[in-house]
Amino acid sequence: MFDNLPGSLPHVKAGRLRALAVTSATRSPALPDVPTMAEAGISGYEADVWFGVVGPRGLPPAVASRLSQEITRIAQDKAMRDKLVQAGASPLTSTPEQFSVLIRRDTDKWAKLVRESGASID
């Protein structure tokens, strides 16, 4: 099965599940001995789950910048990073502009995959 790491990590650590690989491009800090899909022999496969903070359309750039700075400051706190890693997350931060690029890139990637697969909601 494929699951996000925060949901499955407690089961892996308890020995109820065996992690075969992670779908990110790099190994997870929470499971450093588990290979990536590429390391496990399946190249060209990468799927990351990410969480972010977004604001309403028209949010003033100064407000977005301040929020980004504060979120980055909090995410860089050692105690916070340790908690996030223990939960299976790989804490990353970016600027609002970089996050917009990530959202657009992933939207394009998955939209193409859905179109090519022929999947529909019907």
Side-chain angles (χ1 to χ4, degrees), residues 18-96:
R18 183 169 57 117
L20 302 177
V22 294
T23 61
S24 54
T26 59
R27 290 186 181 210
S28 168
L31 294 173
D33 296 331
V34 175
T36 65
M37 293 289 276
E39 291 171 331
I42 302 172
S43 61
Y45 186 95
E46 183 183 338
D48 288 314
V49 174
W50 48 260
F51 299 90
V53 177
V54 297
R57 183 182 306 270
L59 185 68
V63 173
S65 178
R66 176 67 192 270
L67 284 169
S68 177
Q69 290 168 7
E70 290 301 313
I71 291 166
T72 297
R73 182 183 61 76
I74 293 165
Q76 290 176 345
D77 177 77
K78 182 174 177 4
M80 176 59 79
R81 291 185 73 77
D82 290 347
K83 285 183 185 223
L84 290 169
V85 168
Q86 288 172 3
S90 298
L92 301 172
T93 57
S94 66
T95 66

Side-chain angles (χ1 to χ4, degrees), residues 1 8 10 14 17 24 39 41 47 57 93 105 107-108 112 114 117:
M1 84 174 179
S8 58
L17 288 175
S24 54
E39 291 171 331
R57 183 182 306 270
T93 57
R105 186 196 74 208
T107 299
D108 292 346
K112 179 181 180 212
V114 169
S117 75

